[in-house]
Amino acid sequence: MPMLKDPSKKYRKFKPLDLPNRQWPSKTNDKPPRWLATDLRDGNQSLVDPMDGAQKLRYFKMLVEIGYKEIEVSFPSASQTDFDFTRMLAEDQRDGGKLIPGIEDVYLQVLTPCREELIKRTVESLRGCKRGILHMYLATSECFRRIVFGMSEEQSIELAVKCTKYARSITKESDDAEIRSTHWQYEFSPETFSDTSPEFAVRICEAVKGAWEPSEENPIIFNLPATVEMSTPNVYADQIEYFCTNMTERKKFCVSLHPHNDRGCAVAASELAQMAGAERVEGTLFGNGERTGNVDLVTLALNLYTQGIHPGVDFSDINSIIKVVEESNKIPINERWPYGGNLVVCAFSGSHQDAIKKGFQTRKTEGSKPEDPWVMPYLPLDPQDIGRTYEAVIRVNSQSGKGGVAWIIQNSLGLDLPRGLQVSFSKIVQKEADAKGRELLPREIAGLFEDAYHLKRNPRFTLIDYNISAVRAETKQDKTSVGQPPQAQDTTTTKSTAPVQNTSSNKRQFAGVIAIDGAQHPLIGVGTGAISSLANALHSLGIDLDVADYKEHALASGKDVKAATYIECMVSGNPHEKVWGVGIHEDVVQASLIALLSAASGFLTSRVSTPKPFRPKHMRDFSASEIQALEQLNVGSGGQSPFRDSMSPGAGGGLNGSPLSARADRVDISKLEHDAWKEEESRNGS
Ligand SMILES: CC(=O)SCCNC(=O)CCNC(=O)[C@H](O)C(C)(C)COP(=O)(O)OP(=O)(O)OC[C@H]1O[C@@H](n2cnc3c(N)ncnc32)[C@H](O)[C@@H]1OP(=O)(O)O
Ligand SMILES: CC(C)C(=O)C(=O)O
């Protein structure tokens, strides 16, 4: 049968209460209710394979650790397993919690139908416990009375009263001193309350109250279940308010809720019904229970928490709780489930990631402490408060943008990427995610980054050794900018070794040996700092890169601090072609040089026309002073440079040297370098 064209005959609209003076809409929930966890009863009875004793014990211990003080542990008359489990708890409580620390002040609740032999066995199961709640239920709706029991309203009241009196006689008024020693509470559930006439619910509960004779010190619990959720949550709230205001002796009863989730509104129904006067809520962790489940106690508690109200239960380690719940119920928690779902503290989409990343950045900049006000785009709860990690907050797939990718790199490698590099690298990630058609894991993204910017190994360029020295001023030929090789060095040796003036300048000379695609090359270059002098040296190989952006920051702290340097290079003559390089090293200058070589490697690799391996077409000759500078480098053995012959004026370059030991010069001129680069940049008007 397809869906009916007109369902109005088959399904009747729920008739709401006429409650014109309802008060609850202007109330708020300002404190936590009394919680009752019914995972081991209502939750358990709905499982394909109910829990055995050991599983129940593990679960019970967890509930105690979370902080629940009222726990429905079983339906003792249903099975020997349930009976024995309840006995074990009762005895442990009597013995002071040797097995289960913290059990002493927990109320052990047990459920029974209105049948005397079952009530008797149920009470027996709790013999000797310190605190017990005997919970009896009887369905009261017209539907159930007519279809299930064949009972009128009066007959239902009669049965409920009879069984309550019986329960009283074998609990708080028992002849048996051990039974009497228990602090008994009594709970009555007019089952199917949500579909019961409000007047009849009040009538039967008044009768039960009369039969039990509660006191203000030990009130009776009226648990008003939405056994089946029948209407919108506001109607349930009306039903609860009606009950609270029409019952007598309000202080002698506690109003408890037991919402199911048939319409998907159990949480909302609970919250509105608390506004309407209920003081207690029964539910389960993550909403396991009959059909669509019971109301989820985790959501209710954390909803309160995010309003600044401590719920009195502790979900600091929600992941461990999820593990126990999933293993015990053998039902996975939906990935989108509030607070607990795997995906609820994750963002894949670019704009969400960007906003979250900025939110965390703002907290960092403002120096916020964990307890400071939480104002965070897209995240209503600080994941850290429930033991979830920030790393998991942002995940990357083809829907992600630069912000999320940068977040992953920051968290996995500690690198704070400049915006331009974020844009550039996120294209690489996007392409990979699209090609793979799935999420990329943080370690995959970190790996992509390390490969793209040669953090582990630069396959093309290796800085073998170098020296940065101040250049004496200054022939007019020295007036070069980054990207333009100084003429003096380019042409003859004499000019460079015979400066016109003899004053010092802020120019720097890079003299070094670099291996390119396995072949080692002596290089000389001059610039305003270390980076520009190396850029200048690379020009002589035909690698025409101009530095366009530069950023550095410290990585880690203390003794192990390293510098991370990011350099964006423009390809000379083509302002649209840019390439990024990254360098990490203990020495800040060396980090910069490595970053530039990383960019150079990216540049070479992007050149499809460049044959591999790269060999410079022409190496310029060196002047005598340049040769002297190169000879001071720590290459070769016995102080003899392997390049001596080939470096001689007129000999040309392009050498294949022997393997050489790397040496880092500890010349900390980073500030100078940065300032010089900035100056140069502003001179160029860029
Ligand atoms: C909404 C809820 O979750 S209520 C709790 C439900 N939980 C359970 O049922 C789990 C444990 N249940 C059991 O182990 C069994 O059902 C028992 C032991 C309670 C009873 O078992 P049985 O005697 O075999 O009966 P059965 O399971 O068929 O239950 C239905 C009978 O109980 C009656 N019944 C149902 N609810 C109640 C009640 N609250 N009070 C008294 N009788 C009731 C039914 O009318 C029916 O009676 P009938 O046999 O005269 O027609
Ligand atoms: C026994 C009662 C409280 C119940 O589980 C229900 O009505 O759902």
Side-chain angles (χ1 to χ4, degrees):
M1 273 285 283
M3 281 176 74
L4 301 172
K5 284 209 166 58
D6 175 14
S8 67
K9 191 167 158 229
K10 186 167 184 176
Y11 299 102
R12 246 122 345 114
K13 196 171 176 181
F14 192 86
K15 195 163 170 285
L17 273 70
D18 182 19
L19 202 64
N21 293 324
R22 62 176 66 79
Q23 299 297 308
W24 64 262
S26 43
K27 302 261 174 67
T28 55
N29 291 325
D30 301 326
K31 60 178 181 6
R34 276 169 64 178
W35 304 110
L36 176 285
T38 186
D39 304 63
L40 299 173
R41 197 282 294 173
D42 211 343
N44 186 55
Q45 78 185 30
S46 64
L47 296 176
V48 178
D49 298 317
M51 294 179 224
D52 61 23
Q55 288 166 328
K56 275 198 149 191
L57 178 59
R58 179 185 185 216
Y59 205 113
F60 180 84
K61 282 182 173 168
M62 175 186 71
L63 291 172
V64 173
E65 272 165 29
I66 293 172
Y68 288 106
K69 299 291 178 204
E70 300 179 43
I71 302 176
E72 193 159 54
V73 298
S74 65
F75 195 124
S77 63
S79 68
Q80 195 61 39
T81 304
D82 263 17
F83 186 85
D84 292 345
F85 175 68
T86 313
R87 287 294 318 126
M88 191 252 293
L89 297 183
E91 283 168 18
D92 191 53
Q93 193 174 60
R94 182 193 59 203
D95 299 343
K98 291 198 180 101
L99 186 64
I100 309 158
I103 195 177
E104 300 94 301
D105 61 348
V106 172
Y107 276 91
L108 305 176
Q109 179 166 310
V110 284
L111 182 65
T112 176
C114 282
R115 277 165 58 177
E116 289 194 0
E117 77 283 12
L118 302 188
I119 297 172
K120 192 167 190 310
R121 184 156 170 82
T122 306
V123 170
E124 197 53 40
S125 73
L126 282 185
R127 172 179 284 280
C129 78
K130 287 191 176 138
R131 295 159 200 260
I133 302 176
L134 178 62
H135 178 192
M136 196 175 72
Y137 70 101
L138 180 66
T140 49
S141 67
E142 191 278 330
C143 159
F144 271 61
R145 282 188 293 98
R146 180 167 55 84
I147 296 175
V148 183
F149 303 112
M151 284 199 297
S152 67
E153 287 188 348
E154 297 315 317
Q155 287 168 318
S156 300
I157 292 176
E158 201 179 305
L159 179 62
V161 167
K162 185 167 84 84
C163 288
T164 300
K165 284 187 174 158
Y166 176 68
R168 179 179 166 176
S169 72
I170 61 165
T171 53
K172 64 178 179 176
E173 290 177 359
S174 169
D175 297 337
D176 187 325
E178 191 181 23
I179 295 270
R180 259 202 335 273
S181 72
T182 296
H183 185 267
W184 288 104
Q185 293 192 58
Y186 183 61
E187 172 170 335
F188 176 69
S189 290
E191 195 200 342
T192 64
F193 167 83
S194 48
D195 195 26
T196 298
S197 113
E199 295 81 3
F200 179 57
V202 166
R203 222 147 57 79
I204 195 168
C205 287
E206 284 287 3
V208 168
K209 177 155 66 71
W212 182 256
E213 292 192 35
S215 63
E216 287 189 13
E217 295 70 43
N218 189 4
I220 186 171
I221 300 165
F222 286 123
N223 185 49
L224 308 177
T227 304
V228 177
E229 189 173 48
M230 307 289 286
S231 62
T232 49
N234 60 307
V235 173
Y236 187 53
D238 278 355
Q239 291 169 325
I240 299 296
E241 185 168 308
Y242 179 93
F243 186 88
C244 291
T245 48
N246 284 278
M247 287 283 295
T248 61
E249 303 181 290
R250 181 66 185 88
K251 290 192 175 150
K252 290 191 180 170
F253 65 91
C254 163
V255 173
S256 176
L257 308 171
H258 182 105
H260 280 270
N261 198 35
D262 300 78
R263 294 167 55 94
C265 304
V267 166
S270 302
E271 290 178 335
L272 300 192
Q274 286 175 73
M275 288 156 62
E279 299 123 324
R280 184 176 184 268
V281 180
E282 298 194 347
T284 60
L285 300 183
F286 301 110
N288 179 46
E290 296 282 8
R291 306 179 306 285
T292 52
N294 288 74
V295 70
D296 171 17
L297 293 180
V298 180
T299 301
L300 284 178
L302 293 175
N303 280 0
L304 274 178
Y305 184 79
T306 58
Q307 299 300 303
I309 299 162
H310 198 286
V313 278
D314 187 358
F315 292 106
S316 300
D317 184 8
I318 204 163
N319 292 332
S320 305
I321 294 169
I322 290 170
K323 185 170 185 294
V324 175
V325 171
E326 289 187 330
E327 286 174 6
S328 308
N329 295 341
K330 294 162 216 84
I331 300 174
I333 286 158
N334 188 292
E335 309 225 304
R336 296 283 179 210
W337 196 266
Y339 303 109
N342 235 341
L343 297 180
V344 302
V345 288
C346 291
F348 288 98
S349 59
S351 53
H352 288 226
Q353 294 179 333
D354 171 63
I356 292 171
K357 180 169 168 282
K358 285 173 180 159
F360 279 116
Q361 195 57 52
T362 304
R363 276 185 87 75
K364 198 171 162 195
T365 314
E366 290 171 354
S368 302
K369 293 192 230 23
E371 65 276 14
D372 285 341
W374 181 252
V375 187
M376 180 65 66
Y378 294 116
L379 288 180
L381 171 75
D382 183 351
Q384 203 172 237
D385 289 359
I386 54 171
R388 308 192 79 170
T389 49
Y390 293 145
E391 289 77 43
V393 168
I394 288 178
R395 291 167 60 173
V396 170
N397 63 16
S398 63
Q399 304 295 302
S400 309
K402 64 180 183 339
V405 170
W407 170 268
I408 301 272
I409 293 300
Q410 180 146 38
N411 280 285
S412 52
L413 301 177
L415 300 176
D416 183 11
L417 307 188
R419 189 182 168 82
L421 180 53
Q422 291 178 18
V423 173
S424 181
F425 178 56
S426 86
K427 285 185 189 140
I428 298 174
V429 173
Q430 224 281 340
K431 205 167 149 197
E432 180 79 357
D434 215 12
K436 288 216 155 93
R438 62 163 173 82
E439 177 194 3
L440 296 183
L441 300 174
R443 68 176 154 72
E444 292 178 296
I445 295 166
L448 275 180
F449 189 84
E450 286 167 343
D451 286 352
Y453 303 105
H454 325 296
L455 291 195
K456 292 220 164 120
R457 196 183 71 87
N458 187 330
R460 313 210 63 174
F461 290 82
T462 310
L463 182 60
I464 303 294
D465 194 18
Y466 71 93
N467 211 340
I468 307 284
S469 53
V471 179
R472 289 168 145 215
E474 174 161 303
T475 65
K476 69 178 185 322
Q477 294 91 330
D478 278 343
K479 291 192 192 306
T480 59
S481 63
V482 172
Q484 286 168 5
Q487 292 164 23
Q489 278 83 355
D490 266 357
T491 51
T492 64
T493 56
T494 46
K495 279 180 190 163
S496 67
T497 51
V500 174
Q501 291 173 298
N502 206 14
T503 54
S504 66
S505 78
N506 62 358
K507 293 269 174 186
R508 294 289 177 270
Q509 173 178 273
F510 170 92
V513 176
I514 290 174
I516 308 174
D517 290 339
Q520 295 186 357
H521 305 278
L523 290 179
I524 294 276
V526 172
T528 49
I531 303 169
S532 47
S533 60
L534 174 58
N536 177 242
L538 292 173
H539 278 287
S540 65
L541 299 177
I543 297 170
D544 295 330
L545 295 175
D546 294 343
V547 178
D549 196 1
Y550 170 94
K551 188 187 163 192
E552 70 181 38
H553 64 80
L555 202 55
S557 57
K559 241 177 22 217
D560 301 326
V561 71
K562 285 185 178 178
T565 301
Y566 312 91
I567 290 180
E568 186 186 31
C569 292
M570 247 158 37
V571 176
S572 297
N574 183 358
H576 302 297
E577 197 181 343
K578 290 184 175 166
V579 57
W580 278 92
V582 181
I584 297 174
H585 199 271
E586 292 85 2
D587 180 77
V588 72
V589 175
Q590 196 151 336
S592 307
L593 301 181
I594 293 169
L596 186 58
L597 294 181
S598 154
S601 190
F603 166 74
L604 271 197
T605 310
S606 70
R607 289 271 164 304
V608 276
S609 57
T610 305
K612 285 187 178 181
F614 174 81
R615 294 286 179 263
K617 288 194 189 83
H618 167 73
M619 288 282 291
R620 71 177 176 82
D621 297 337
F622 295 111
S623 68
S625 66
E626 289 171 338
I627 291 172
Q628 208 179 355
L630 288 166
E631 279 183 339
Q632 282 165 15
L633 296 172
N634 187 26
V635 293
S637 56
Q640 180 63 43
S641 168
F643 304 121
R644 169 156 263 295
D645 296 341
S646 47
M647 283 189 304
S648 306
L655 303 166
N656 282 308
S658 56
L660 302 165
S661 64
R663 177 172 65 91
D665 274 322
R666 302 283 181 271
V667 190
D668 191 351
I669 56 166
S670 60
K671 180 82 174 54
L672 176 66
E673 170 68 32
H674 191 247
D675 292 350
W677 178 75
K678 279 281 167 208
E679 257 175 50
E680 189 176 274
E681 196 180 37
S682 58
R683 266 203 309 277
N684 294 342
S686 57

